[in-house]
Amino acid sequence: MTTHVKPAVGESPVGREFPEGLPIGDHWVEAPATEDVRFPYDGTLVARAPVGDTGLARQAVDAALAIREQVGRLPSHTRRAALLATHEAIASRRAEFERLLVLETGKPLVDCRVEVDRTLLTLLTSAEEVARLHGETVPLDLLPSGEGLLGFWTRKPIGVVVGIAGFNYPLLLAAHKVAPSLAAGCPVIAKPAPQTPLATLWLVHLLREALRAAGAPQAAVQLVTGGPEVGVALTTDRRIGAVSFTGSAAVGHQIARDAAPTKVLLELGSNAALVVAADADLDAAADAVVRGGYYGSGQACISVQRVIVVDSVREEFVARLTERVVQVTVGDPRDPATRVSALIDKRSTERVCAWVEQAVEAGASLAAGGGVADGVIQPTVLVDVDRALAVWDEEVFGPVVAVRSVPDLETALDLVNDSRYGLHASVYTSALDTAFAALDRLEVGGVVINEVPGFRSDVMPYGGVKDSGAGREGPRFAIEELTVTRMAVIRPTTKKP
């Protein structure tokens, strides 16, 4: 059988390899419905994708539980081989994955190329971490009662993992769920965003094929599509071991409440700040705002949103920034030169435009952009934005940056912290003491000096504080989250044979 995918925008890169339906258990199961996946840039049909329901969600959980112990006992070489084979399979198809990502997300090609690169690194480093999954000895004789006892701990899989990813980086975010789960010995059920299921389907298919070739059960990695009701069915099943969710703060908080006491890892939203100190390299800082504010058309949780500039360099910085913004290439995301294109859907575009309009009505000035051409929001710079407005306080998730000036660095750091979010923030400065002050004071998961807050190496611990989430991703750190320590205490027998 062939997949539901129908070529619509040129030659579709999917439909050649994976079967029809959804990968549940060790087979592909017919989905009860299909839904259009459309190219966000012009609305052209990309594919008819399978849509699951709560019944299939429960079926996937049942299948995962049935093999939980088997997956937990898979030899390290088997788990490692499956991840390495998947890495090679995607690497050999990278151009097709890049094209698919452009079509289903509408992101510029340059950003989709980066997404594939990062996915490959995530798979490779997850495979490497299999060899580092170990424990330590413990000196139990620190108390007299522990004399003669041998103590050590190991790490054991937490159980079935449900991994829910957002629409903005569907391949990469899914890889950060499924690869560490398999490396840890946990069966995993992936749920992609309804708008962007195709790349994740392909990833899961390739991983299942690698598992089959390695002699492991394909049900170790499953996928169910569908709306919020499918997510609820998966995350509230008390038999699962952990939920790993990437998405909005509102949805993440609801999942945490509904899933309790199940362990929940949350990678949520933010309104990342970039501070321009008085001693900053203003050209580098202006370049960073453009590079970090508009990549992925601004649809990234750590893209630059709030720019906080010390008064003494405000005018010069804003002038340099606006010079650069008007040079950003806007248009068809398939063009390698494009840096900003359409958002994921019309509703998102309307929301972002409404927020910009609200800011202008409240007294902010438009230094650049603010309009829409051919359905694409022009790269926008707002200056003197009221702190009580959504475009400053909430997550824009569009090509908009908001600039405010403050009298000094101390006030700037306070203003960064004056947010319910805390994922990444960056500071541009030439002073080492300023850098260390930022590292010490900023209430965020990552402080970046003289680089965009959107910098993320996929091997580093990544996550936020406050409403930006809980837990950490990055293969090593995700594997720690998805395993539990098991302590062994042994008193050697003194009985002689």
Side-chain angles (χ1 to χ4, degrees):
M1 295 193 302
T2 58
T3 181
H4 288 298
V5 169
K6 298 177 181 178
V9 186
E11 183 183 3
S12 176
V14 294
R16 303 173 187 171
E17 293 188 74
F18 58 81
E20 184 178 281
L22 292 169
I24 295 174
D26 281 327
H27 307 285
W28 286 69
V29 177
E30 182 178 357
T34 62
E35 190 169 84
D36 292 350
V37 176
R38 295 191 174 274
F39 184 29
Y41 180 64
D42 62 13
T44 308
L45 179 67
V46 176
R48 295 282 296 169
V51 179
D53 59 16
T54 57
L56 290 181
R58 288 189 291 269
Q59 187 175 333
V61 174
D62 290 341
L65 287 165
I67 60 165
R68 172 186 169 183
E69 291 187 8
Q70 182 183 357
V71 174
R73 292 195 300 267
L74 285 176
S76 298
H77 68 83
T78 299
R79 287 176 278 141
R80 181 175 180 272
L83 290 166
L84 290 176
T86 307
H87 172 274
E88 293 305 313
I90 292 177
S92 68
R93 298 163 175 81
R94 64 171 305 136
E96 293 176 298
F97 267 102
E98 290 164 1
R99 176 171 171 74
L100 175 58
L101 287 168
V102 172
L103 295 183
E104 72 170 334
T105 68
K107 282 200 320 246
L109 176 60
V110 62
D111 298 308
C112 294
R113 287 173 172 166
V114 171
E115 180 171 0
V116 174
D117 283 338
R118 293 180 57 191
T119 298
L120 292 170
L121 178 62
T122 301
L123 289 164
L124 181 61
T125 52
S126 294
E128 292 171 347
E129 288 299 327
V130 173
R132 304 187 182 102
L133 192 57
H134 50 71
E136 297 177 2
T137 57
V138 179
L140 299 179
D141 58 356
L142 287 173
L143 286 173
S145 60
E147 290 182 19
L149 293 176
L150 171 66
F152 62 90
W153 56 266
T154 59
R155 302 201 74 91
K156 296 296 182 181
I158 200 169
V160 176
V161 175
V162 170
I164 303 177
F167 67 79
N168 54 333
Y169 283 80
L171 181 65
L172 176 63
L173 296 177
H176 270 291
K177 311 300 182 189
V178 300
S181 296
L182 183 60
C186 299
V188 58
I189 303 167
K191 182 189 178 297
Q195 307 99 314
T196 54
L198 302 177
T200 310
L201 267 168
W202 204 359
L203 165 67
V204 167
H205 167 64
L206 294 174
L207 188 47
R208 284 164 64 95
E209 288 295 288
L211 286 165
R212 181 182 58 80
Q218 295 184 68
V221 181
Q222 302 176 82
L223 182 145
V224 186
T225 54
E229 71 285 352
V230 172
V232 170
L234 291 171
T235 58
T236 59
D237 193 312
R238 293 294 179 262
R239 300 173 296 170
I240 64 172
V243 176
S244 178
F245 171 80
T246 299
S248 71
V251 175
H253 297 163
Q254 188 64 52
I255 288 174
R257 288 191 291 269
D258 292 346
T262 301
K263 184 172 186 177
V264 176
L265 310 173
L266 300 174
E267 300 297 338
L268 306 179
S270 190
N271 51 8
L274 184 148
V275 173
V276 183
D279 58 1
D281 180 332
L282 297 185
D283 285 322
D287 287 339
V289 173
V290 174
R291 181 163 44 90
Y294 305 120
Y295 76 95
S297 303
Q299 295 175 121
C301 53
I302 45 177
S303 63
V304 176
Q305 180 175 329
R306 297 183 296 154
V307 181
I308 303 167
V309 189
V310 172
D311 279 332
S312 61
V313 295
R314 167 199 161 102
E315 297 305 322
E316 186 177 357
F317 172 78
V318 171
R320 297 188 191 195
L321 174 59
T322 54
E323 288 174 1
R324 287 161 169 79
V325 171
V326 297
Q327 299 172 10
V328 174
T329 302
V330 178
D332 191 328
R334 293 167 292 189
D335 185 340
T338 296
R339 293 298 180 269
V340 172
S341 191
L343 301 187
I344 189 66
D345 53 34
K346 184 178 180 181
R347 183 177 62 178
S348 297
T349 301
E350 291 172 347
R351 175 188 56 78
V352 173
C353 289
W355 286 11
V356 171
E357 182 179 353
Q358 181 189 47
V360 173
E361 290 176 351
S365 60
L366 272 171
V372 179
D374 297 325
V376 179
I377 299 174
Q378 304 301 293
T380 299
V381 177
L382 291 164
V383 180
D384 296 329
V385 177
D386 192 313
R387 287 166 57 182
L389 295 176
V391 77
W392 183 268
D393 280 348
E394 298 302 324
E395 182 176 44
V396 173
F397 231 60
V400 178
V401 297
V403 181
R404 287 184 61 88
S405 58
V406 292
D408 51 43
L409 181 70
E410 292 294 311
T411 309
L413 299 182
D414 288 341
L415 189 53
V416 173
N417 289 339
D418 185 20
S419 172
R420 69 187 183 99
Y421 295 111
L423 192 46
H424 274 196
S426 68
V427 176
Y428 269 74
T429 179
S430 60
L432 191 59
D433 59 344
T434 298
F436 277 100
L439 289 166
D440 183 56
R441 290 189 49 197
L442 291 182
E443 298 167 357
V444 292
V447 177
V448 186
I449 305 299
N450 294 330
E451 186 49 86
V452 295
F455 177 82
R456 177 185 177 184
S457 169
D458 292 281
V459 299
M460 74 188 200
Y462 174 74
V465 298
K466 300 191 282 189
D467 279 5
S468 286
R472 291 296 180 265
E473 285 192 343
R476 170 188 167 186
F477 307 96
I479 290 169
E480 289 180 357
E481 299 276 10
L482 298 176
T483 53
V484 294
T485 59
R486 181 172 297 169
M487 185 65 202
V489 178
I490 301 173
R491 184 177 297 280
T493 181
T494 58
K495 184 178 179 180
K496 295 182 179 180

